[in-house]
Amino acid sequence: FFCIASPYGKTSWELSVQVNQKDGDEGMRFKLRVKGDLHIGGLMLKLVEKIKAPQDWSDHALWWDQRSCWLLKTHWTLDKYGVQADADLRYTPQHKPLCLQLPNMKTVKLTVSYSAVVFKTVAEICRALNIRRPEELSLLKPPDDPSKKKKKKDKNPALDDVLDMDIISGGSGGTGSPLYSKTMVPTYDPENGTPASATSLWFGDNPLTSSQPNLPPAELAKMYQQLSMVDKAIINAGWLDSSRSLMEQGIGEDDRLQLRFKYHCFFDLNPKYDAVRITQLYEQARWSILLEEIDCTEEEMLMFASLQYHISKMTMSTEPLDFSNEPEMDEVEAALSNLEVTLEGGNTDRILEDITDVPKLADSLKLFRPKRLTLRSFKEYWFVFKDTTISYYKNKETASGEPIEQLHLRGCEVVPDVNVTDKKFGIKLLLPVADGMNEVYIRCDNETQYSKWKAACTLASKGKTMAYSSYRSEVKNIQSFLQMKSLAPPSGQAAPDLDAMEMNAECFVSPRYTKKYKTKQVDCWKSIPGELTVRILEAHQNIARLSLNEAKMRFIQAWQSLPEFGIKYYIVRFRGSKKDELMGISYNRLIRIDMSTGLPVTTWRFANMRQWNVNWEIRQVNVHESVIIHVVSCLQVVHEYIGGYIFLSTRSKDQNETLDEELFHKLTGGQE
């Protein structure tokens, strides 16, 4: 079709529109005579009148294929949108079914908005699944598997494996109520996130709150593949743009996406209200360990295995959780509880005493500062920890004079460097400086010493002293964590019985560790699976008394304590460099990583970044006065990660605070 050259709005022309009455149908084409000054709302009205089909068209909107955009501003005219006779428009439902793989690797089908920005669509999905804090999650498009390209006919796998949420919730997932909420009050207000009742009361027997059984070793081995940092960078490039809709990013009804916790900064985890969220978070952590998406030591792998075994055993043997006898907190009690959290959970009448009596630590510890081309050599000094500063001296006798050096810990990173089996209790400190971070390693002699110093360093990194009453609980938590990592059974306890484990021990460790145990030389009368079983059962004795929720929370906390936790990798090129490098993005810092060695080169904390600019034309990010990064691919994903973490840092403990979506898009969008 073409129009005679003349001013817009004075000449009419034919416009072809394809109409999809239902999801997935090919639809019919209708031709309408229109003028350029016709607004989109008027066009849809004319179209519905011509179709003459008695149905609800309220969810339909116009989609422009060539431009890959929705025409949602109904007051705009065709001229303003630039729609001419050659435009290929589709009148199609905005809400369509989508298959999502949840963190527990199970697939659900639900109806979502394909026209809203992904940020809103994820919030809609989380509301349907009853997951609080939807800003922590997003949708990931997995990389294409070359082996599956030949099998294009199998677009729809067996529907038996898909949980249809629309059927369960009794209506359209996009506009209907959350799961099992037809006769019950929602657990939280979708606007402000205020909990209204216990999750377990609202959900009852909900498959999303139960942990999935571990896969047989053979099935796990099929899923497992060793990932390099470059492989991880390719996977991380698949995060969808939160500021654009699904259709605008080429997502169709046949595509499958993954719902994952994208930002590893979990706010206000509450077992009473977050049954689904905690379970799905545990599942994401579990799979990241089993598939080795995050590195951990053999000692840590066995600790994670014992927790998985405990959770699996309790899930299969216990009755469903019942909080029906649990008294609900009234408003005054809730306010007092929030005040206690604000005051770091301590006795309020000890606060004044704490302020006037700031304790200090003094011990003989070993210190090491890494330098290029040198072996790690620890040297003993006398350390004094006061306020948020560590001072160290040549020996105890010189502690009254000037220290050799002072380490100011406010804003630093505290990373555990521990192996309980080998009696190694180290603390790695990343201290902020003008051009990045300096590394310092401190080695303690025993668990007690380590617990006190690690707790003090953690508080100091947040600007808090040991005067805070949370210091004592932090020390206890660290000691409990070390006991959990200890693979030796508690003193006075009998050795575990091999027959006590009803499940295959190989289900709880990654295939690489299974293979490692199979190649170990052992006594001829002891089988390899037997040795693995013994080690898991020994570790299990340290955590056998934990409740199901406590075990899941311990697993999540242990996952968070791993050195590589939350770091996402991207291929970049720094200004002045002629080779590709890796950039890691964590919840509070950027890390420059040597691609060949995998070792960090420089670190920049978000708190110390004076500027952060993006040049979309030449695909560059400026994170410091002298640091310019050319992002090889997925610039929007990198930009959104930085802005997203900065946005999450603005959240407060006030439950009534509405999520500032405008601020999120201001920090993460901007490409247009």
Side-chain angles (χ1 to χ4, degrees):
F1 301 101
F2 62 92
C3 60
I4 302 169
S6 62
Y8 280 140
K10 293 185 178 180
T11 303
S12 64
W13 35 273
E14 275 196 336
L15 181 64
S16 177
V17 182
Q18 179 181 320
V19 177
N20 302 123
Q21 288 182 274
K22 296 180 181 178
D23 298 328
D25 68 350
E26 294 183 2
M28 297 176 60
R29 284 201 172 271
F30 292 85
K31 293 181 180 178
L32 302 170
R33 183 152 292 276
V34 298
K35 292 184 179 181
D37 59 358
L38 178 66
H39 54 75
I40 299 299
L43 174 61
M44 291 194 295
L45 183 61
K46 288 183 70 171
L47 188 59
V48 170
E49 288 174 350
K50 189 159 187 175
I51 297 170
K52 296 178 181 178
Q55 74 171 68
D56 183 2
W57 297 96
S58 59
D59 189 49
H60 277 60
L62 288 167
W63 168 257
W64 191 354
D65 271 328
Q66 294 105 316
R67 299 278 182 92
S68 291
C69 70
W70 288 94
L71 308 183
L72 298 177
K73 296 177 181 176
T74 54
H75 60 286
W76 277 26
T77 64
L78 296 177
D79 283 348
K80 192 166 185 178
Y81 265 119
V83 175
Q84 297 184 30
D86 61 348
D88 187 10
L89 301 185
R90 253 198 301 157
Y91 194 47
T92 184
Q94 297 176 66
H95 285 83
K96 303 172 187 289
L98 177 69
C99 282
L100 278 178
Q101 187 193 65
L102 301 182
N104 64 0
M105 296 293 187
K106 294 298 179 183
T107 302
V108 298
K109 182 181 180 183
L110 69 169
T111 302
V112 303
S113 174
Y114 275 66
S115 62
V117 295
V118 165
F119 185 85
K120 282 188 175 179
T121 300
V122 170
E124 183 182 308
I125 292 168
C126 289
R127 182 176 180 274
L129 302 177
N130 194 45
I131 298 176
R132 289 199 308 153
R133 306 297 175 189
E135 66 275 12
E136 296 171 358
L137 298 94
S138 193
L139 300 176
L140 179 67
K141 187 176 182 180
D144 293 328
D145 186 350
S147 63
K148 292 182 180 178
K149 285 187 177 179
K150 298 176 182 177
K151 303 178 182 178
K152 287 188 177 179
K153 292 181 181 178
D154 292 338
K155 282 188 176 180
N156 298 315
L159 295 176
D160 300 353
D161 298 329
V162 178
L163 179 65
D164 196 324
M165 302 294 289
D166 294 340
I167 294 175
I168 293 173
S169 60
S172 168
T175 56
S177 300
L179 184 63
Y180 296 137
S181 66
K182 291 176 71 176
T183 59
M184 297 187 181
V185 180
T187 58
Y188 70 98
D189 187 297
E191 292 297 324
N192 57 36
T194 307
S197 62
T199 303
S200 57
L201 286 176
W202 186 54
F203 268 81
D205 295 329
N206 177 9
L208 302 184
T209 61
S210 299
S211 301
Q212 296 296 319
N214 286 51
L215 285 180
E219 293 295 317
L220 186 61
K222 290 178 185 177
M223 296 176 64
Y224 173 77
Q225 53 179 338
Q226 283 192 300
L227 297 174
S228 66
M229 287 185 176
V230 175
D231 295 329
K232 293 175 185 178
I234 294 169
I235 293 171
N236 291 329
W239 290 104
L240 297 190
D241 184 346
S242 295
S243 300
R244 295 165 63 212
S245 69
L246 291 174
M247 289 267 283
E248 288 172 328
Q249 299 180 68
I251 305 301
E253 294 175 43
D254 291 331
D255 292 338
R256 292 196 166 211
L257 298 178
Q258 296 174 349
L259 179 70
R260 294 290 185 270
F261 288 87
K262 176 180 180 181
Y263 300 104
H264 287 53
C265 186
F266 316 123
F267 185 69
D268 185 32
L269 272 177
N270 187 328
K272 185 173 181 181
Y273 305 114
D274 289 318
V276 179
R277 184 176 170 216
I278 289 172
T279 297
Q280 295 301 321
L281 193 51
Y282 158 71
E283 289 286 343
Q284 183 165 327
R286 179 170 76 93
W287 282 107
S288 72
I289 299 295
L290 288 175
L291 300 180
E292 293 189 10
E293 293 169 3
I294 184 170
D295 287 338
C296 65
T297 63
E298 183 177 349
E299 179 184 80
E300 289 162 342
M301 179 65 75
L302 290 167
M303 174 196 65
F304 285 121
S306 68
L307 282 166
Q308 287 179 75
Y309 168 62
H310 184 67
I311 291 167
S312 181
K313 187 177 179 182
M314 292 200 72
T315 301
M316 291 183 352
S317 63
T318 59
E319 294 296 319
L321 291 175
D322 181 17
F323 291 131
S324 56
N325 297 323
E326 194 172 300
E328 290 291 329
M329 294 173 67
D330 60 21
E331 292 182 7
V332 175
E333 190 181 352
L336 288 172
S337 176
N338 286 338
L339 176 63
E340 188 178 352
V341 171
T342 306
L343 296 174
E344 295 303 314
N347 271 328
T348 51
D349 31 357
R350 289 241 345 138
I351 297 297
L352 288 176
E353 180 185 340
D354 287 344
I355 293 172
T356 56
D357 182 25
V358 178
K360 69 177 184 179
L361 290 174
D363 264 317
S364 179
L365 306 173
K366 298 181 179 67
L367 178 132
F368 165 71
R369 278 186 173 279
K371 296 178 182 178
R372 289 183 179 275
L373 305 175
T374 59
L375 296 173
R376 183 174 295 192
S377 166
F378 283 89
K379 191 173 180 182
E380 193 163 337
Y381 296 98
W382 182 256
F383 281 73
V384 176
F385 197 129
K386 190 170 183 182
D387 295 328
T388 60
T389 303
I390 292 178
S391 305
Y392 64 92
Y393 307 82
K394 186 175 182 181
N395 49 48
K396 186 176 181 179
E397 289 68 31
T398 60
S400 57
E402 287 292 315
I404 297 173
E405 187 182 11
Q406 282 192 322
L407 308 176
H408 300 284
L409 270 59
R410 186 186 292 266
C412 78
E413 294 296 316
V414 183
V415 182
D417 183 24
V418 176
N419 189 313
V420 179
T421 307
D422 295 340
K423 303 296 180 185
K424 172 187 171 185
F425 303 101
I427 304 169
K428 177 182 175 183
L429 299 175
L430 297 169
L431 304 168
V433 292
D435 59 345
M437 306 279 269
N438 282 343
E439 287 185 18
V440 175
Y441 289 82
I442 295 174
R443 182 69 60 82
C444 301
D445 293 331
N446 51 56
E447 295 182 22
T448 305
Q449 195 180 58
Y450 169 82
S451 300
K452 292 178 180 178
W453 282 82
K454 169 69 164 50
C457 290
T458 301
L459 284 176
S461 69
K462 301 172 184 176
K464 300 172 184 177
T465 70
M466 287 179 283
Y468 278 79
S469 46
S470 61
Y471 171 69
R472 299 177 189 85
S473 61
E474 184 70 24
V475 172
K476 288 181 181 177
N477 287 339
I478 294 171
Q479 289 174 336
S480 172
F481 183 63
L482 291 177
Q483 184 184 4
M484 192 169 68
K485 289 185 74 172
S486 173
L487 302 181
S491 57
Q493 195 155 336
D497 180 10
L498 269 178
D499 297 328
M501 180 177 277
E502 305 88 357
M503 292 159 269
N504 190 341
E506 295 178 27
C507 299
F508 304 111
V509 297
S510 71
R512 183 167 65 93
Y513 278 99
T514 299
K515 188 177 180 181
K516 181 179 178 181
Y517 271 88
K518 282 185 177 178
T519 55
K520 278 187 176 182
Q521 295 298 318
V522 292
D523 297 330
C524 59
W525 61 82
K526 185 187 285 186
S527 66
I528 303 301
E531 184 189 358
L532 182 58
T533 302
V534 168
R535 299 203 68 184
I536 292 175
L537 288 176
E538 284 177 348
H540 176 253
Q541 291 182 55
N542 294 308
I543 51 106
R545 293 185 179 181
L546 293 178
S547 70
L548 183 59
N549 267 337
E550 285 174 337
K552 288 179 183 177
M553 291 295 287
R554 287 287 184 92
F555 194 101
I556 293 168
Q557 289 161 3
W559 178 48
Q560 289 176 292
S561 73
L562 296 176
E564 286 189 9
F565 168 76
I567 301 177
K568 303 296 182 185
Y569 302 99
Y570 295 96
I571 301 171
V572 299
R573 185 168 292 186
F574 288 84
R575 187 173 68 172
S577 176
K578 295 182 179 180
K579 63 176 183 177
D580 288 345
E581 295 180 69
L582 286 167
M583 180 174 69
I585 305 178
S586 184
Y587 72 97
N588 58 358
R589 66 195 188 278
L590 299 177
I591 312 161
R592 182 176 184 175
I593 301 169
D594 187 298
M595 190 178 283
S596 57
T597 63
L599 297 174
V601 179
T602 317
T603 304
W604 300 275
R605 285 178 57 86
F606 292 150
N608 298 337
M609 279 167 47
R610 296 180 182 176
Q611 60 180 0
W612 161 48
N613 303 311
V614 180
N615 188 323
W616 296 99
E617 292 183 5
I618 55 176
R619 307 187 62 78
Q620 285 187 350
V621 181
N622 187 348
V623 297
H624 198 268
E625 293 174 359
S626 58
V627 181
I628 296 178
I629 307 167
H630 173 75
V631 182
V632 177
S633 63
C634 62
L635 176 60
Q636 169 59 31
V637 178
V638 172
H639 167 57
E640 188 172 312
Y641 249 116
I642 299 171
Y645 272 127
I646 292 173
F647 169 76
L648 294 186
S649 69
T650 66
R651 295 183 296 182
S652 74
K653 290 181 179 178
D654 181 7
Q655 292 292 318
N656 294 319
E657 183 178 348
T658 305
L659 201 62
D660 191 345
E661 187 180 340
E662 185 180 345
L663 177 61
F664 176 85
H665 290 301
K666 187 177 180 181
L667 289 169
T668 61
Q671 188 167 359
E672 280 90 23

